Amino acid sequence: MTSYSKEVIADLVAGTLPWPQTRRIMSAYKDDDRFFKYVAVLQDRVGWEEPILLPVGDHLFICQSGDERVTKCECGHSFGDYRKNWKLKASIIVRDTEELLREIYPNSDLPDPEWMEIREFICPECGTLHEVEAAAPGYPIVHDFEPDLEGFYRDWLGKPLEPSSKGG
Amino acid sequence: MLDKPASALRIRERLIESERLMEGTGCYDGITELSLRNQDPLKFETLHTKLRAYCVSAREMARRISASPGVREVGEMVVAIYTPEGDAIALSNGIMVHVHTMSRFIKWMIRNGYEENPQINDGDIFANNDAFIGTVQVPDVMDVMPIFHSGKLVGWAGAVCHELEAGGITPGGDVALAQERFTEGLFVCAEKVGQNDELRRDYVIRCERNLRMPIYWVLDEKAKVASCIDMRESVKALIDEIGLDYWMQVSKEFIEEGRRAQLARARQLTVPGIYRGHTFYGHVTAGKPGYQPLGDPDWLYNMPIEMQITSDGKIIMDFEGTQPWGYHSMNCTPAGMDGGMFVTLTQTMNFEGFVNDGAWMATELKLPKGTWTNPDSEMAATATSWALLLPAYGVFQRLLARSLVARGFVEEAFVGQVNSPMIEMGGTSQYGTLFGMAHFECAAAGSGAIAIKDGLDTAYVGWNPESDMGNIEIWEQNMPMLYIGRSIVPNSGGAGKYRGGCAFLSTWLVSKTDHLRLVTSEHSSRVFDNGGLCGGYPAPTCQKHRAVRDTNIFELAEKGAPLAHHTGTNPYRSELEVRLEGKHVTVEGPYITAPHKTGDVFTHSYNGGGGYGDVLERDPVKTAWDVENGFLTREAAQGIFGIVLDEDEEGFPVANLDATKRHRVEMRAQRLARARPVSEWVAKERERVKAADFAPEVKKMYASAIKLSARFTRDFSAFWDVDAKSTFGVE
Ligand SMILES: [Zn+2]
C-alpha cells in the first residue's frame, strides 16, 4: 500500500514539494492513510488546540470545540455551527461597479455590473479571503458544502466520532 | 472475412434483459461476482490492457488517414470497443466525451428495431451526428460497425471525429447562428452509410454536395471506418485465442469492474455530503445580423449544480433551477450531458486508462425536462452546446475539488475547465477555391489552478485531456489568414495563491482572399462563465472581438514600421488602435459579420482558468518570474497580489520580500476596513430584491428559474425572506 511520511504530506500541502516528486505522487496509486496525516499536518499549522475534524477550505476547518462542532478560520475565529453556512457570519466586499471590478481585472473586458458582481467572503478577524462568488445581483449566497461528517467517519474511515451533545 | 449471422440476433431482447438484470442486482448485466478476474487476475488484466492497446493503436493509425488538421494535429478523435448491447468496454485516448454518447447511439438503433430494418450485418457501417440520438453537436460525427464471430454479434467498434466543417448556416461546425435544428448543418441520423466494409458512394456524394469542405468529413469517415475494421479484426483474433464464451463473460466483467472501481474511487478520494456551486453565462445577440426574432435576443443563464456523494460512493449531479432551453445553439441533450460527465470523470477520478461505461453507471444525472440540459423539443439546436457544457462541468470539477481538499488529496483538487470559444471560417481560400474550416487552436485554453500549483497555461481543455493548439504553419496552409501574433494574454488566469492558467490570443492578417467569412462559436458576454475556489478569483472570460478593416498594414510593412501583434494591456485603447489605421470594430458575443478581405486584421482570445486560494499568499519569487515572462503584469503583481518588485542590474523583475510583507499587511488592513458583515449586506440587498430592482435580463432569469423549479423558488424565497413568485410576477 502506498504511504508517505507526514513531512512529505506537509510539503505537498504547502506547495513546496519539488515537482518531480509531486508528479510521482499524482501518478501513483493513492495513499489510503492520507486523511489523518493531512489533518495532523493542518493541526500543527493552526495555532489552536481544538481537534480538526474536516478541512472545508484552504484555511477553513470544521473542528470539535468543546461539545460543539464549528467552522473555524485558521486564525481561530469561529463562524459557528458547522451545519450552518459560515458565509453568513463572514464579512463581505462586493465588487459591483466597473471601478471595483477593474481593481482585480486591470486589462480585460469586464462583466456588466448589472449582470454580475464579485462577492468576496472574508474572515472578520484576520482578513483572509476564504471564498469568492461571481453571481448575478440578487442571487442567494451559496451554501458550498454540507458534509455528512458522521457518516464519513463511521462508514468510510471506520472511526466513528464521539457523540456530540450540540452541533450534530 | 464477413460473417453472416446464423439466426436473428434478438439483440433488443438482450438489451432489455441486461437492463433488467442491472435493476435487479445493482450490478452491470447481473454480474455480481468477477469470477474470471478471481480465477486468473493476470489474464484478466492482460486482456484489458490489450483491448486498450487495440483502441489506442487504431486511433493513431486513423489519424494518419485523415486530412483534417483537427484530427491530425489536434487529435479530435476517439475510438472504443462496445458490448453487443452498446456499453463501452475499452477506449482510446482523445475526445473521451464521446465514448458514452456513442453508447447511446448504438442502444438507440437496437431499441428502434434496426435488427429487422435496415438490419445489422457484418461489414455494415452506421453513422450518426444527431445529438438527440447520441452525440454532442452536429460536427461530432460517429461511425460504428458491428463485430460478428461465429455468426453471433459479439460487440461493436466505434469511432468519432470532430468535423471541421458541417455545412450549417455559417461555416465550421459550432454554428452560433443556428437557432433551430434546421440550420445546424448536414444531419446523418443513425443511418446505414456503408456495407461490406465500404462507404456507400451515394452517401459520400451527399456529403460532397452539402459541405463547404467535404475532404475533411469524407476522409475522416474513411479514417473512422479503417479504425473500426482494425479494432474488429483485433477483437476477432482475440476471441479465436480465448474462446467466445470467455469473451462474452470477460467483456461484461470489465464493465462491472469499472463500475465498482468508480464507487471505490469516490470513497477513497472524496467526502460524502452535499456540494453546491454555480456559474453564469451571458448570451448577447441583439442587433447581430442573421438572428431571427424567435426569442429574446439577450439572455442571462444561471447554472446551479447540487452534487451529492452518497455513502456508497455514488455521485449524483442535479441541475434543478437552471434556465429553459431556447432558440439558440447552446442547448444540450442528455447525451451531451452524459458525455460531459464521462470525460470529467476520466480526468479527475479514473486516470489510469481502464475507464469504461462502468464509471458512468456509478453516477446519476438529474436533468430537469425543459431546461437547456434536457430540451422538451427535439427541434432545439445544439450546435454550440459546449458553450454551456464546459462552464457547467467546470462547476462539477470545483465541487469535486472541494471534496478532494477535504479529504487531503490536494494534488488532484482542480479548479476546472473553461469554455474555449472557437473561430470558424469559410468563403474563398488563398488558393482561390471554396473552403470552410473550424480553427481548432481553441483546444489549448488555460486551466484552472490546482490546490498546490498554478493552472496550466495554454494547455488544457475539458473535452480532450490531450490538449494541443496545433502548429501555426499547418493552420496557415488551411486558411487565407496569416498569423501576425500568437501571444500569452497577461493576467488572463484568475488571481489566487495559485493563479489560473493563462489564455492566448491570436492576431491574423487576412491574406489572398476577397471573401472570408469569419464567425465564432458562442462565448459568454457580460458575465464570467467560470469560478475560482477557496478564495481564488474567476478568470476574465467575457472578452470581446477586435478587428480592423481596410488597414494600412501593407504600407506599414513596406516602410518597416511596427505592426500590431496583439491587443495589448490597455483595455480602453488596444494596440490595434495604436498601430493600425482603418475601420476599427469591437464586437461583444459571437462574431457574425460581413465577409473580410485581404488587409483586414482580426483577433480572437481564448480563455484562462480560475484561481485557487487567497491572492495575498502568492509566492513573490514565482510572481517575479511570471512578470518577466508575460503571464502577469507588474501592475497586477503589486495591485492584486500585493507583491513589490524591484529590478536587477539587467532590468529583470526581482521580488522585494520585505516591502512585499509590509505592503500585504497594509492590503489586509484595507480589506478589513472595506468589508462589512454579510448580515448587513443581506439586509440591505433584501430591499433591492423585494423591489426586483434588476436589469431586465436578470429579472427574466429569475422568473424563468422560478417557473421551472419549485426548489429554486423555495430556496430563493427562504434566503431573502420574500415571496419569489410575486416578486418576479410569476403566476
Ligand atoms: Zn481568520
Side-chain angles (χ1 to χ4, degrees):
Chain A
M1 194 185 88
T2 320
S3 181
Y4 304 103
S5 70
K6 192 176 149 194
E7 290 68 36
V8 168
I9 301 299
D11 287 350
L12 179 70
V13 171
T16 54
L17 196 68
W19 172 243
Q21 222 175 327
T22 306
R23 178 75 177 72
R24 276 200 297 277
I25 292 178
M26 291 173 101
S27 299
Y29 286 102
K30 290 300 179 197
D31 37 322
D32 281 330
D33 59 355
R34 172 76 65 93
F35 181 72
F36 289 110
K37 276 188 189 154
Y38 173 58
V39 167
V41 164
L42 297 171
Q43 196 78 54
D44 288 352
R45 204 176 79 188
V46 301
W48 32 267
E49 298 296 319
E50 290 98 324
I52 293 174
L53 300 176
L54 189 73
V56 292
D58 203 33
H59 296 291
L60 268 186
F61 313 95
I62 295 171
C63 70
Q64 187 75 48
S65 178
D67 56 2
E68 281 183 299
R69 290 179 187 144
V70 298
T71 305
K72 229 172 168 27
C73 175
E74 186 150 345
C75 75
H77 179 84
S78 172
F79 293 94
D81 189 333
Y82 83 98
R83 293 166 301 184
K84 300 259 168 63
N85 190 355
W86 64 270
K87 285 178 182 167
L88 303 179
K89 294 267 183 73
S91 290
I92 190 169
I93 296 172
V94 180
R95 298 183 186 273
D96 53 2
T97 64
E98 190 180 325
E99 201 187 344
L100 290 169
L101 288 162
R102 190 52 87 198
E103 289 179 355
I104 305 297
Y105 300 99
N107 316 112
S108 59
D109 291 319
L110 292 176
D112 180 343
E114 295 270 298
W115 284 37
M116 171 166 277
E117 62 197 22
I118 300 274
R119 304 169 180 170
E120 301 170 351
F121 294 91
I122 288 162
C123 170
E125 214 162 311
C126 69
T128 293
L129 176 54
H130 283 300
E131 207 62 62
V132 174
E133 281 186 2
Y139 215 76
I141 292 171
V142 180
H143 191 174
D144 297 321
F145 184 24
E146 293 183 62
D148 173 11
L149 192 64
E150 302 202 322
F152 175 55
Y153 270 82
R154 186 185 58 237
D155 304 331
W156 289 17
L157 298 173
K159 294 196 166 123
L161 291 173
E162 297 287 319
S164 181
S165 63
K166 279 192 250 166
Chain B
M1 292 285 262
L2 300 184
D3 208 327
K4 289 261 176 284
S7 59
L9 305 173
R10 309 190 63 79
I11 187 63
R12 188 154 176 253
E13 287 74 6
R14 181 76 265 284
L15 174 61
I16 293 165
E17 167 78 358
S18 173
E19 286 169 346
R20 195 186 56 76
L21 284 168
M22 171 120 193
E23 200 146 306
T25 61
C27 296
Y28 174 64
D29 209 37
I31 305 282
T32 51
E33 207 183 319
L34 302 176
S35 53
L36 294 181
R37 194 186 70 169
N38 297 341
Q39 259 169 41
D40 188 346
L42 218 57
K43 182 178 178 186
F44 186 87
E45 286 306 320
T46 310
L47 286 177
H48 206 165
T49 309
K50 261 191 190 171
L51 288 178
R52 162 90 174 156
Y54 296 160
C55 296
V56 172
S57 91
R59 175 174 176 269
E60 285 309 311
M61 179 268 294
R63 281 177 68 184
R64 268 84 195 156
I65 297 171
S66 166
S68 143
V71 174
R72 287 183 82 97
E73 285 283 296
V74 182
E76 284 291 315
M77 180 177 193
V78 73
V79 306
I81 297 168
Y82 295 85
T83 63
E85 302 84 14
D87 298 306
I89 309 164
L91 50 127
S92 71
N93 46 333
I95 46 173
M96 292 189 262
V97 66
H98 288 294
V99 171
H100 189 72
T101 62
M102 232 174 340
S103 169
R104 278 189 177 253
F105 162 37
I106 297 169
K107 288 177 191 289
W108 191 92
M109 292 192 291
I110 295 170
R111 286 202 182 94
N112 281 276
Y114 272 40
E115 203 180 328
E116 289 82 39
N117 186 0
Q119 295 190 345
I120 300 167
N121 297 312
D122 200 4
D124 283 351
I125 305 161
F126 297 91
N128 179 61
N129 69 342
D130 184 331
F132 284 94
I133 290 174
T135 194
V136 179
Q137 40 165 185
V138 170
D140 298 326
V141 186
M142 46 187 58
D143 287 68
V144 297
M145 295 179 71
I147 305 174
F148 283 89
H149 192 282
S150 319
K152 193 175 155 139
L153 181 72
V154 298
W156 296 82
V160 190
C161 292
H162 183 105
E163 297 312 328
L164 296 194
E165 218 295 304
I169 189 169
T170 59
D174 289 38
V175 177
L177 196 51
Q179 291 171 277
E180 288 179 290
R181 176 186 176 85
F182 310 103
T183 39
E184 292 186 273
L186 172 61
F187 271 104
V188 182
C189 307
E191 181 173 327
K192 193 191 275 199
V193 297
Q195 281 158 308
N196 303 321
D197 289 355
E198 223 180 301
L199 289 164
R200 286 176 61 128
R201 202 169 118 72
D202 46 359
Y203 168 63
V204 172
I205 288 169
R206 175 147 61 94
C207 297
E208 285 172 351
R209 298 198 58 80
N210 284 289
L211 298 167
R212 292 179 180 84
M213 195 74 176
I215 186 173
Y216 293 151
W217 182 306
V218 171
L219 273 180
D220 280 355
E221 285 290 283
K222 294 183 179 178
K224 283 179 281 181
V225 169
S227 69
C228 288
I229 293 172
D230 190 47
M231 286 185 283
R232 183 189 72 195
E233 294 304 315
S234 299
V235 168
K236 281 162 69 175
L238 182 74
I239 295 173
D240 287 341
E241 195 185 310
I242 61 172
L244 186 55
D245 292 345
Y246 193 93
W247 163 259
M248 295 306 281
Q249 174 73 11
V250 80
S251 50
K252 288 175 194 166
E253 285 195 22
F254 288 144
I255 295 173
E256 172 59 13
E257 189 197 34
R259 191 187 71 80
R260 292 180 190 190
Q262 167 61 32
L263 293 172
R265 204 41 81 68
R267 292 194 300 265
Q268 183 193 26
L269 299 180
T270 71
V271 173
I274 310 250
Y275 300 75
R276 294 187 198 87
H278 59 51
T279 194
F280 291 80
Y281 193 95
H283 174 67
V284 171
T285 62
K288 279 184 196 289
Y291 280 91
Q292 297 179 70
L294 300 174
D296 290 344
D298 299 342
W299 205 336
L300 177 59
Y301 265 69
N302 67 318
M303 290 182 262
I305 300 181
E306 186 172 293
M307 174 178 87
Q308 187 190 358
I309 301 182
T310 67
S311 61
D312 57 357
K314 187 171 184 184
I315 296 177
I316 303 167
M317 288 244 292
D318 189 345
F319 285 83
E320 180 162 356
T322 194
Q323 294 292 294
W325 70 271
Y327 289 102
H328 54 62
S329 56
M330 309 181 293
N331 305 295
C332 205
T333 63
M337 298 302 290
D338 277 353
M341 183 79 172
F342 189 85
V343 74
T344 311
L345 285 176
T346 59
Q347 295 170 54
T348 315
M349 306 189 86
N350 292 284
F351 29 72
E352 81 281 65
F354 290 123
V355 66
N356 57 33
D357 254 330
W360 178 83
M361 289 168 197
T363 63
E364 186 184 335
L365 285 179
K366 292 186 173 171
L367 308 172
K369 198 84 183 154
T371 65
W372 67 270
T373 68
N374 189 3
D376 49 13
S377 161
E378 297 206 353
M379 301 303 114
T382 66
T384 68
S385 50
W386 284 106
L388 298 181
L389 248 182
L390 289 164
Y393 281 91
V395 175
F396 173 48
Q397 282 167 315
R398 286 190 287 286
L399 302 184
L400 275 181
R402 170 103 44 210
S403 75
L404 291 156
V405 167
R407 192 67 186 261
F409 293 104
V410 284
E411 72 277 21
E412 307 294 346
F414 176 42
V415 177
Q417 66 200 13
V418 291
N419 181 23
S420 186
M422 167 188 288
I423 77 156
E424 302 176 293
M425 60 193 88
T428 312
S429 76
Q430 67 273 41
Y431 312 114
T433 54
L434 294 180
F435 92 113
M437 186 185 84
H439 194 314
F440 243 94
E441 68 172 6
C442 60
S447 83
I450 294 174
I452 55 162
K453 69 184 282 289
D454 292 346
L456 296 173
D457 300 305
T458 66
Y460 178 77
V461 284
W463 69 82
N464 183 355
E466 289 175 295
S467 162
D468 194 331
M469 63 177 75
N471 288 309
I472 281 181
E473 292 74 14
I474 300 291
W475 293 120
E476 285 181 341
Q477 279 175 17
N478 287 276
M479 64 182 188
M481 294 206 293
L482 298 170
Y483 279 82
I484 52 173
R486 193 192 234 184
S487 24
I488 299 282
V489 183
N491 308 331
S492 54
K497 173 160 86 171
Y498 301 108
R499 63 165 175 81
C502 282
F504 73 100
L505 168 130
S506 287
T507 307
W508 293 283
L509 170 63
V510 178
S511 169
K512 296 184 180 162
T513 183
D514 57 4
H515 186 102
L516 173 64
R517 290 169 75 187
L518 281 172
V519 285
T520 68
S521 64
E522 278 280 358
H523 53 102
S524 185
S525 301
R526 300 187 197 175
V527 300
F528 297 154
D529 54 347
N530 78 106
L533 192 70
C534 293
Y537 288 94
T541 57
C542 55
Q543 288 300 95
K544 295 173 183 166
H545 285 99
R546 289 169 176 84
V548 197
R549 287 178 186 271
D550 304 319
T551 67
N552 61 337
I553 195 160
F554 294 118
E555 290 159 45
L556 293 174
E558 191 97 344
K559 282 191 286 189
L563 311 175
H565 301 287
H566 50 76
T567 50
T569 51
N570 180 349
Y572 303 106
R573 187 155 191 253
S574 80
E575 277 290 297
L576 306 181
E577 288 166 294
V578 174
R579 303 272 180 212
L580 300 175
E581 285 173 20
K583 192 175 164 235
H584 290 267
V585 202
T586 303
V587 173
E588 183 181 38
Y591 190 78
I592 289 169
T593 179
H596 281 280
K597 64 175 177 30
T598 304
D600 291 358
V601 168
F602 177 69
T603 64
H604 180 71
S605 97
Y606 303 93
N607 283 332
Y612 180 91
D614 187 340
V615 275
L616 296 185
E617 294 174 33
R618 183 170 182 74
D619 180 2
V621 176
K622 205 156 54 179
T623 305
W625 185 93
D626 271 345
V627 171
E628 186 182 328
N629 289 283
F631 295 95
L632 292 174
T633 59
R634 194 174 273 272
E635 175 198 20
Q638 176 141 2
I640 305 168
F641 295 91
I643 292 164
V644 182
L645 297 173
D646 296 337
E647 276 178 12
D648 68 8
E649 313 81 71
E650 290 165 83
F652 291 116
V654 196
N656 181 331
L657 299 182
D658 290 333
T660 297
K661 212 172 204 175
R662 286 193 301 273
H663 184 44
R664 283 179 161 175
V665 168
E666 220 171 276
M667 283 179 80
R668 219 171 251 265
Q670 274 171 14
R671 234 188 219 173
L672 283 168
R674 242 187 196 185
R676 55 184 150 154
V678 167
S679 52
E680 229 175 69
W681 178 75
V682 169
K684 189 179 147 270
E685 202 62 11
R686 181 171 177 264
E687 297 308 309
R688 184 177 177 190
V689 172
K690 266 166 63 186
D693 177 18
F694 300 115
E697 294 81 4
V698 175
K699 273 198 268 201
K700 187 182 129 187
M701 174 192 77
Y702 286 128
S704 307
I706 288 163
K707 254 182 240 165
L708 274 171
S709 165
R711 188 171 81 197
F712 184 90
T713 310
R714 204 169 53 236
D715 291 352
F716 189 96
S717 303
F719 185 85
W720 294 114
D721 190 20
V722 296
D723 178 351
K725 282 192 173 172
S726 66
T727 305
F728 293 99
V730 178
E731 295 292 296

